[in-house]
Every structure is written in C-alpha cells, then in structure tokens.
Amino acid sequence: MSDNKNLRSVIAENPLLILFLGACPAMGATTSVLGALGMGAALLAVMLLSGIVIAALRKAIPDCARIPAYLIIIAGFVSIVQMLMNAFLPEIYQMLGIYIAVAAVDLVVFANAEDGAEGGIGAAVKGAVKTGLCFIFVVVVVAFFREVLGSASFAGKDIAALTNYRIPALTKAPGGFIVYSFVAAVVSSLFGKKAEGTGAACAAAGIGCCDCCNCKKEVDE
C-alpha cells in the first residue's frame, strides 16, 4: 500500500502532468529521445543544485527579496548547465536551443525552490529527485512516440520499416500537444482518482490555489 502511494505521489501528483508546469520545454525538447534526455537531465541538475543552495540560504534571504534571489540563483545554475552542455554535449545543446534557458523561469524549478526554502536541504533534494525523474520519464515517453511515429527514427537512428508510415505532424508543435495530452490522460486514468481535481492537485503540488468553493471542498476532503 505504501509503495502504491509513493508511486502515485511521484507520477500522478507531479505538477508536470497535473498542472502542466514546465510544459514549454516538455513540448520543445521532445522531437527526439536524445533531446528529451538532455532536457530532463538539465532540469534535474538545475532543480537539485538550486534547491540545495536556496535551502542553505533560506534564513539569510528576506521575504521581500525571495523571488529575485531565487531567480538569480536558478538562472546562475541554468547558465552553468548551458555552458557545460555546450562544451561536452554540443549536439544535444544544439537540439535544445533556447529551451534550456527557459528552465530559469520554469515554475517546476520555482516550486522545488519553495519546498527547499520551507523544508530544508532534505526536502529540496527529495523534491528535485522525484519531480526531475518524473519529468525525464514523461518527456522521454512523449519523445519516443513523436520521434518513432513522426520521424521513423529512434535516438537519431533511422527505422527503415516505418519510413513509409511517418506522421510528420507529430514533429510539429500541434503533434507535441496531442501526444503530451494523451500521456497525461493515460497517467490520470491509471493513477488519478475521480474525486480529485484542481484544488487537491494544487495542494499536493504545493503551488497554491484559488479560493473557490470547489477548490476548498477538494482540499478539505
């Protein structure tokens, strides 16, 4: 029972699938499996490093300067990751382009930073690993279908048997939204509960929610 709850916490309540936070890089970096792995690894590294630093400095950062401080710290680690990828993984860096920089203002990263500020280094590391691994899983699954069905290739290697059956639309932006939506729907049907909705999802993700009656009712339940 405990394992099922942990699995559900990692996948079904992940903000990427419930609140669609971080959907921009998930869309832009999923035309290839290698690009998706690179984006996922970059986001995991940024969340882990920025979360640790923010958790360590949480008492020294005043509330009035919290958001600017988070932004500076996260942007600094994004720049470091960009330079390292450009130096050691230039092909993947070219695949991702501007989407690595988008991680500097990604709400998934900010949510993890908030967890670290409130719960300390342990909470920051735990949240970064859980959210980061789920992000990698989702973008790789989306990229798998988009690349195999849209480009008739896998990790850059052509699949001759599918060459005449490609669906080029899947490599475009609309195809990304379609595949991403299907993945989210499948995860929701497998792990979600009918009684849960926006309010419960917001509470689980630690993002906050509006004060509407439905949200209050869901959170109370």
Side-chain angles (χ1 to χ4, degrees), residues 113-137:
E114 286 282 357
D115 289 341
E118 294 178 2
I121 295 177
V125 172
K126 183 179 179 180
V129 172
K130 288 172 60 178
T131 305
L133 291 179
C134 183
F135 184 92
I136 293 174
F137 170 77

Side-chain angles (χ1 to χ4, degrees), residues 69-173:
Y70 291 179
L71 182 60
I72 292 172
I73 294 171
I74 293 170
F77 283 114
V78 168
S79 298
I80 292 172
V81 170
Q82 276 187 297
M83 290 187 287
L84 290 174
M85 291 189 73
N86 192 21
F88 298 103
L89 299 169
E91 293 183 2
I92 295 180
Y93 177 80
Q94 293 297 326
M95 289 180 187
L96 299 179
I98 194 175
Y99 291 107
I100 304 179
V102 171
V105 291
D106 197 315
L107 290 179
V108 172
V109 182
F110 271 86
N112 185 70
E114 286 282 357
D115 289 341
E118 294 178 2
I121 295 177
V125 172
K126 183 179 179 180
V129 172
K130 288 172 60 178
T131 305
L133 291 179
C134 183
F135 184 92
I136 293 174
F137 170 77
V138 173
V139 294
V140 168
V141 170
V142 174
F144 172 82
F145 287 105
R146 294 185 69 188
E147 184 178 4
V148 171
L149 299 180
S151 302
S153 64
F154 177 76
K157 305 295 183 180
D158 292 335
I159 303 176
L162 297 178
T163 301
N164 297 327
Y165 302 97
R166 289 180 296 178
I167 308 174
L170 293 180
T171 63
K172 307 299 182 183

